Amino acid sequence: VNISNFSAKDIKMMRENGIEITADEYALKMLKIYRPGDGAKEYQIQKEAYEILAGHNGMALVPKPIVMKLQQLSESDREYLRSYAPFIDNEAELILMDFIEGTDLATYIYNFILLGNGYTEEMVANMSFEQKHSLIGGILNFEKAKNADDGDFRELYALRENMKKLMTYLRKKDFHIDQNFLDKIKNAVEMLEANGIFHNDLHDRNVMIGKDGNPYIIDFGRSVRDRNDHDSDDIA
């Protein structure tokens, strides 16, 4: 969301509603929710995580959430969204947050591989993540799980084998991630967990490398406050 496209009236209305406008660009997350309240829960946990980590050195950061809004959808909006998600109701929860300029860790790794295999920076910049994944699957000869259901052992086996191939290739090409970068993520996760927040979904697409080189933890949609509900080992 580029705030410079907003009218002075829009910005005035946002500020009157307590929305703090301090930057030119923000990220807008639209949650197509079939369990009302999930957006508000995610917003609150991300807000607390941001406040816990803000101002600490040696920590990964969290994008600052600005506002959560329950948005009534017009008939045309509902019709459009239902072509993707049939369960859409009459409203959606929207979260406006700081825009982090950078790339997620998985994309960073994929870009490294593609740039080393004859693809130009312009070509890589114009590809979707799915296109990159498909190309790298061909380069590294990824396994494909035949006739597997989501979560099936055959799917898990293929994922494990493909991760081995990916790691072997990266080691061979002397790819590495700075240890200080990883330590900042570990320190942040430990601090959040000490304060009763468990991210619960810390994979390589939910860690971003900011343009400033710092790590950012994103997407608190599966986060929990109870260790007993924590089904993902974020430190791992």
Side-chain angles (χ1 to χ4, degrees), residues 174-191:
D174 198 31
F175 174 88
H176 70 278
I177 297 167
D178 185 74
Q179 185 63 46
N180 186 49
F181 182 92
L182 299 174
D183 288 342
K184 286 182 176 181
I185 299 169
K186 179 174 179 286
N187 294 341
V189 170
E190 288 177 342
M191 178 166 274

Side-chain angles (χ1 to χ4, degrees), residues 61-79:
L61 301 174
V62 169
K64 181 182 180 181
I66 308 300
V67 70
M68 199 293 293
K69 185 177 188 298
L70 189 64
Q71 176 67 47
Q72 298 298 318
L73 299 174
S74 68
E75 187 176 342
S76 59
D77 287 340
R78 290 196 301 273
E79 185 178 344

